[in-house]
């Protein structure tokens, strides 16, 4: 489930962010907020869904305040990173903005892990923590590079793949840095059980993905309607609405070329 959320959310986030760089004015900031919010929600939901699949041999639960705070950390860092990339033009700030987004993945991860409470303590390997930060920043920069400096039409998929790698490589390296040390003690009453977290995470991401898909489809439909409208204006008289000379030429041209080709083949 975490993998499906990660791939679907990353693909849609990059599609929305591509519109940020092609828009201006109020539409620019609207797309920026939507792309940032969806990307942050993808990072956050992937993390906690994967954590729900992690079953340590000790009692565990989640602090609700820090769990929610990790979402806002992801939103803030992703928004800043996307803003830097969107305003960078063709400079190296494109990759710097992507690295900020990758570091936002790490900031969200470690804030989320601070919300993870076990009957015992967590010990961290500082080397692996550093490697996880480097992986997140590197793949974040690659993702921004592919979306902002496309070479072919397939670069958008390369951007999505890099964003998925930024999330997954950072998360699993960060999890590899943990050693669980069981201990005595009881949980506080305010901690959130896994069942409640699962319902909250899946419901939130389903709502956000549905909203993102709807917005994307509405925008595509609007663009198609505008193109069709311009095509109609170019091919029809503005006063009568009847087909004009341009429409006649476009209609006859294939037939004329077809007859000419047939005539050339006749000995």
């Amino acid at each position: 489930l975490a993998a499906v959320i990660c791939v679907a959310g990353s693909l849609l986030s990059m599609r929305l962010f591509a519109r940020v760089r092609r828009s201006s004015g109020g539409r620019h900031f609207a797309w920026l907020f939507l792309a940032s919010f969806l990307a942050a929600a993808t990072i956050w939901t992937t993390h906690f869904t994967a954590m729900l699949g992690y079953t340590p041999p000790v009692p565990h639960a989640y602090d609700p305040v820090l769990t929610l705070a990790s979402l806002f950390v992801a939103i803030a860092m992703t928004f800043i990173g996307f803003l830097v990339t969107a305003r960078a033009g063709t400079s190296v700030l494109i990759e710097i903005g992507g690295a900020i987004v990758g570091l936002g993945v790490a900031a969200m991860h470690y804030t989320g892990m601070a919300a993870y409470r076990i009957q015992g303590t967590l010990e961290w390997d500082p080397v692996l923590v550093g490697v996880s930060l480097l992986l997140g920043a590197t793949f974040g920069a690659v993702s921004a590079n592919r979306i902002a400096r496309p070479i072919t039409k397939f670069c958008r998929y390369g951007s999505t793949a890099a964003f998925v790698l930024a999330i997954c490589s950072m998360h699993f390296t960060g999890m590899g840095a943990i050693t669980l040390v069981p201990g005595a003690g009881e949980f506080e009453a305010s901690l959130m059980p896994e069942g409640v977290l699962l319902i909250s995470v899946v419901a939130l991401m389903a709502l956000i993905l549905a909203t993102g898909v709807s917005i994307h489809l509405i925008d595509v439909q609007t663009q198609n309607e505008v193109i069709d409208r311009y095509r109609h204006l170019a091919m029809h008289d503005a006063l009568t609405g009847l087909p004009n000379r341009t429409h006649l030429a476009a209609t006859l041209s294939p037939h004329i070329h077809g007859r000419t080709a047939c005539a050339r083949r006749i000995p």
Side-chain angles (χ1 to χ4, degrees), residues 132-152:
S132 72
L133 295 174
L134 181 61
L135 288 171
T138 300
F139 283 116
V142 172
S143 178
N145 176 277
R146 291 299 78 213
I147 202 72
R149 306 184 199 272
I151 300 173
T152 69

Side-chain angles (χ1 to χ4, degrees), residues 13-210:
S13 299
M14 292 300 103
R15 288 289 185 92
L16 294 183
F17 181 64
R19 281 167 165 70
V20 174
R21 292 183 56 85
R22 298 198 300 264
S23 60
S24 59
R27 287 171 59 89
H28 175 82
F29 284 101
W31 284 119
L32 180 61
F33 173 77
L34 287 170
S36 303
F37 186 72
L38 180 57
T42 299
I43 296 165
W44 185 82
T45 311
T46 299
H47 169 87
F48 280 104
T49 306
M51 286 301 297
L52 290 170
Y54 176 60
T55 337
V58 292
H60 54 281
Y62 296 85
D63 182 293
V65 175
L66 285 174
T67 298
L68 185 60
S70 65
L71 174 60
F72 289 107
V73 167
I75 293 172
M77 293 288 288
T78 305
F79 182 86
I80 293 170
F82 279 175
L83 178 62
V84 171
T85 298
R87 296 299 185 90
T90 58
S91 72
V92 72
L93 286 175
I94 288 174
E95 287 75 22
I96 292 175
I100 292 173
V101 174
L103 291 174
V105 177
M108 182 272 123
H109 175 86
Y110 290 112
T111 305
M113 289 309 299
Y116 187 64
R117 303 298 171 79
I118 66 166
Q119 196 167 21
T121 57
L122 299 177
E123 293 183 353
W124 296 89
D125 181 337
V127 175
L128 286 179
V129 170
V131 172
S132 72
L133 295 174
L134 181 61
L135 288 171
T138 300
F139 283 116
V142 172
S143 178
N145 176 277
R146 291 299 78 213
I147 202 72
R149 306 184 199 272
I151 300 173
T152 69
K153 63 181 181 180
F154 299 107
C155 284
R156 60 185 177 182
Y157 300 112
S159 175
T160 299
F163 193 69
V164 169
L165 286 172
I167 297 172
C168 294
S169 64
M170 189 277 121
H171 173 83
F172 286 107
T173 306
M175 290 302 295
I178 291 176
T179 300
L180 296 178
V181 181
E186 295 184 359
F187 290 126
E188 303 171 19
S190 61
L191 293 183
M192 182 167 46
E194 281 194 338
V196 175
L197 180 62
L198 175 62
I199 295 172
S200 303
V201 166
V202 173
L204 175 64
M205 197 59 199
L207 179 62
I208 292 172
L209 280 176

Side-chain angles (χ1 to χ4, degrees), residues 246-264:
T246 305
H247 184 281
L248 177 64
T251 304
L252 290 178
S253 180
H255 297 287
I256 293 173
H257 288 300
R259 287 179 176 275
T260 303
C262 289
R264 289 174 179 171

